[in-house]
Amino acid sequence: DQAIPFSQLFRRSLGWVVPVHALRGKRIPYTIASAIFHVGILLVPVFLEGHIHLIRKGIGLGWPSLNPIAADALTFTTMGALLLLALFRILDRGSRALSGFQDYALLALCFLPFLTGYWVAHPGSNPFPFTLTYLVHLLSAEAILILLPFTKLAHSALFPLTQINWEMGWHFVPEAGDRVRVALGKEGEPV
């Protein structure tokens, strides 16, 4: 079946990007915190003036940056959202049951570059030696990039493809499952 509704898939994916449908019940604070975190983790690293300056210096590319006040506000709201997500995982019985060490470690790892990045940008508020803070900032951000394909963080890159993969699974040629069973020598066995 070649009739895959791409425009419908785009709208459905956009509905998950802007999760208005999830703003009900007891998970409203979680949904809002999650949306803020996702916006922050995408916008701050890409549009922070210091990061753009480093890229421009390294390879000559640049683009407009966030206003420094907006960048600081987004940094703090992202850190607050991460704390709320951790708190929700700890306090909500269902989330706690589904959460493992990796979930908490990833939240802490995502928090670290925001905190140290703020201290790097505002050395007067940094209680630690600048070089140590800068090193922790770089290493924690690089750890996120390294772990990205191997953890739940992968959904940040794979998300746009999930809806289309799901939909394509429902558009196999009729009786394709029976043909696969025959090809595997598994005729008559339950799927």
Side-chain angles (χ1 to χ4, degrees):
D1 184 4
Q2 299 297 318
I4 297 172
F6 287 103
S7 62
Q8 180 183 356
L9 293 175
F10 177 75
R11 284 192 306 275
R12 192 179 304 153
S13 294
L14 191 60
W16 282 104
V17 172
V18 184
V20 176
H21 66 281
L23 292 175
R24 61 185 183 282
K26 68 177 186 173
R27 295 183 60 96
I28 293 173
Y30 176 83
T31 301
I32 292 170
S34 179
I36 291 170
F37 162 67
H38 283 86
V39 168
I41 203 161
L42 293 173
L43 291 184
V44 171
V46 174
F47 292 102
L48 194 66
E49 186 175 347
H51 295 166
I52 296 169
H53 176 73
L54 290 172
I55 293 168
R56 188 177 290 123
K57 189 176 174 183
I59 60 174
L61 291 176
W63 49 86
S65 65
L66 286 170
N67 172 301
I69 295 170
D72 287 347
L74 191 52
T75 297
F76 279 114
T77 56
T78 302
M79 289 190 299
L82 280 163
L83 291 173
L84 282 174
L85 291 173
L87 192 63
F88 187 82
R89 284 193 179 276
I90 292 167
L91 297 178
D92 183 71
R93 186 182 337 171
S95 293
R96 190 173 52 246
L98 294 174
S99 298
F101 172 77
Q102 182 187 81
D103 298 301
Y104 298 106
L106 287 175
L107 288 173
L109 181 62
C110 288
F111 187 86
L112 202 52
F114 281 91
L115 179 62
T116 56
Y118 180 81
W119 284 340
V120 166
H122 303 279
S125 63
N126 184 359
F128 302 104
F130 180 82
T131 52
L132 175 64
T133 305
Y134 192 64
L135 180 64
V136 171
H137 178 66
L138 291 174
L139 292 176
S140 60
E142 288 174 359
I144 289 172
L145 293 174
I146 290 168
L147 292 173
L148 188 71
F150 307 108
T151 63
K152 292 179 180 181
L153 295 172
H155 80 273
S156 61
L158 299 176
F159 177 76
L161 304 173
T162 57
Q163 290 294 322
I164 194 164
N165 286 343
W166 182 83
E167 188 69 33
M168 288 175 75
W170 292 103
H171 286 266
F172 284 125
V173 177
E175 279 108 47
D178 293 331
R179 291 184 200 159
V180 170
R181 265 193 229 103
V182 169
L184 295 174
K186 307 267 185 184
E187 306 97 292
E189 293 183 28
V191 176

